[in-house]
Every structure is written in C-alpha cells, then in structure tokens.
Amino acid sequence: METYCDKIRELRQHRGLKQADVAKILETTQQVYSRYENGVNALPIHHLITLCLYYGVSADYVLGLTNEADSTK
C-alpha cells in the first residue's frame, strides 16, 4: 500500500517537478518538503489541500484511500 509520502513524490515526478518547485507552491523550503516525501515530518492539512488543488486530485487519493485520482468523482 502506498503512503501519502509515495503519492506526493509520484505526483511531483510525473509532472517533472523538483522538490524546490513544489516547496515554492507550498511557500516552504525544499528541506521541509523533502521531509514530507521521506515521512520525517507529517504533511499539514493546509499543504495537503494545496497539493490536491494544484495536482487536481482528491485527498483520498493522496492519502491512499482510493486509487481514483480524479477529484471530480
């Protein structure tokens, strides 16, 4: 089972983004974002929401509760 750490890494890589790119979107540092991807720090809800809106996926998808990425379903 994929964790949210795996999902946010996968979403970022699929779009050809660097950690620093996503960190700018979240208004944080690359180091903090790296800790989210590596599971060192928990992903705050406000960052989860921002990532879901940016990538166009549901929170359930990021959290591994569904395999359906489409946030409109």
Side-chain angles (χ1 to χ4, degrees), residues 1-13 33-43 48 51 55 57-67:
M1 181 172 150
E2 283 187 303
T3 66
Y4 76 84
C5 304
D6 300 322
K7 292 285 189 177
I8 63 173
R9 180 180 303 111
E10 179 182 294
L11 287 164
R12 176 182 60 78
Q13 291 174 339
Y33 181 75
S34 175
R35 291 178 181 184
Y36 298 156
E37 280 195 6
N38 290 307
V40 175
N41 289 12
L43 182 66
L48 172 63
L51 291 174
Y55 291 127
V57 297
S58 69
D60 284 351
Y61 177 75
V62 174
L63 297 173
L65 301 174
T66 182
N67 291 325

Side-chain angles (χ1 to χ4, degrees), residues 11 15 25-26 45-59 62 71:
L11 287 164
R15 285 165 179 76
I25 293 163
L26 298 177
I45 296 294
H46 67 282
H47 283 173
L48 172 63
I49 293 167
T50 301
L51 291 174
C52 290
L53 292 171
Y54 179 77
Y55 291 127
V57 297
S58 69
V62 174
S71 65

